[in-house]
Amino acid sequence: GAVVSQHPSWVICKSGTSVKIECRSLDFQATTMFWYRQFPKQSLMLMATSNEGSKATYEQGVEKDKFLINHASLTLSTLTVTSAHPEDSSFYICSAIPGGFDSPLHFGNGTRLTVT
Amino acid sequence: AQSVAQPEDQVNVAEGNPLTVKCTYSVSGNPYLFWYVQYPNRGLQFLLKYITGDNLVKGSYGFEAEFNKSQTSFHLKKPSALVSDSALYFCAVREPGGSYIPTFGRGTSLIVHP
């Protein structure tokens, strides 16, 4: 149980275009989801906390106008990379917590974004 | 503030030998500790956690971890490594009464040689 599904797995887009990444909790409701970015062979960088029905909370240094987050339902959060540039190329991973404070995060399989 | 340290960027071990991936932490109070594994181009998978109780915690794929309060450590171990264990391993901590967002270590790349 407690499956988080992320789509697409990989995407290639041209500079200046926008890309939407979806994150779904398949068998539980998630009022909060977390979006991470990971550079090659590096740790996770928390970008933002997505809150169902309200605005996302962005970490310091993350451009909220570039990385638009929408959490319209208890099972779906989306991250839109707007006007993408090559430096936005990265591995983006979403996660959610299916239980209480002692529950681990459950992660999607990630999205490899390449901007050409 | 909570923090986690994984002092080794990479651990190399021969197949069949025991492995240890180190993790130390700093929190106020009793920690909630987690280990995750990440295979290439995949998300993280939960391996095991320590909340309370026995200091030796057993998890998925034959892994276990030992909580040591005096040394503030939570090292990941496996008695006999497999080539398929080669992956990136992350330690994470939550502080009681704190945020649901765990603090992750920087990750340790485990390479198991045939």
Side-chain angles (χ1 to χ4, degrees), chain A:
Chain A
V3 176
V4 175
S5 175
Q6 187 172 342
H7 179 81
S9 299
W10 58 269
V11 58
I12 301 172
C13 70
K14 294 184 177 181
S15 280
T17 61
S18 295
V19 173
K20 180 184 285 188
I21 302 169
E22 293 188 348
C23 181
R24 295 181 184 272
S25 56
L26 296 187
D27 50 2
F28 66 99
Q29 293 183 332
T31 56
T32 303
M33 291 185 176
F34 307 100
W35 287 95
Y36 289 87
R37 181 174 179 175
Q38 185 179 33
F39 294 97
K41 296 185 178 181
Q42 292 191 17
S43 188
L44 304 170
M45 182 191 81
L46 179 65
M47 299 175 66
T49 301
S50 170
N51 303 298
E52 188 268 334
S54 64
K55 292 182 179 181
T57 304
Y58 290 83
E59 296 299 301
Q60 191 171 10
V62 177
E63 300 176 62
K64 58 183 67 176
D65 294 331
K66 165 164 277 294
F67 299 101
L68 297 179
I69 291 174
N70 183 274
H71 195 150
S73 77
L74 288 171
T75 58
L76 174 64
S77 175
T78 60
L79 168 67
T80 301
V81 183
T82 64
S83 187
H85 292 283
E87 56 266 30
D88 299 324
S89 298
S90 194
F91 193 56
Y92 294 87
I93 317 174
C94 69
S95 67
I97 304 174
F101 196 80
D102 61 348
S103 294
L105 290 182
H106 286 249
F107 289 83
N109 275 330
T111 298
R112 173 71 60 191
L113 170 63
T114 302
V115 185
T116 61

Side-chain angles (χ1 to χ4, degrees), chain B residues 5-13 18-24 35-36 47 63-66 73-78 85 87-91 107-111:
Chain B
Q6 291 181 245
E8 302 153 317
D9 286 339
Q10 184 171 303
V11 170
N12 293 278
V13 64
L19 70 87
T20 299
V21 183
K22 295 179 180 177
C23 172
T24 58
W35 274 104
Y36 297 85
L47 279 179
F63 283 94
E64 58 189 29
E66 186 169 10
S73 67
F74 190 54
H75 300 332
L76 182 69
K77 301 181 180 183
K78 187 173 182 180
D85 292 330
L88 194 56
Y89 290 81
F90 290 96
C91 182
T108 298
S109 177
L110 173 67
I111 300 175

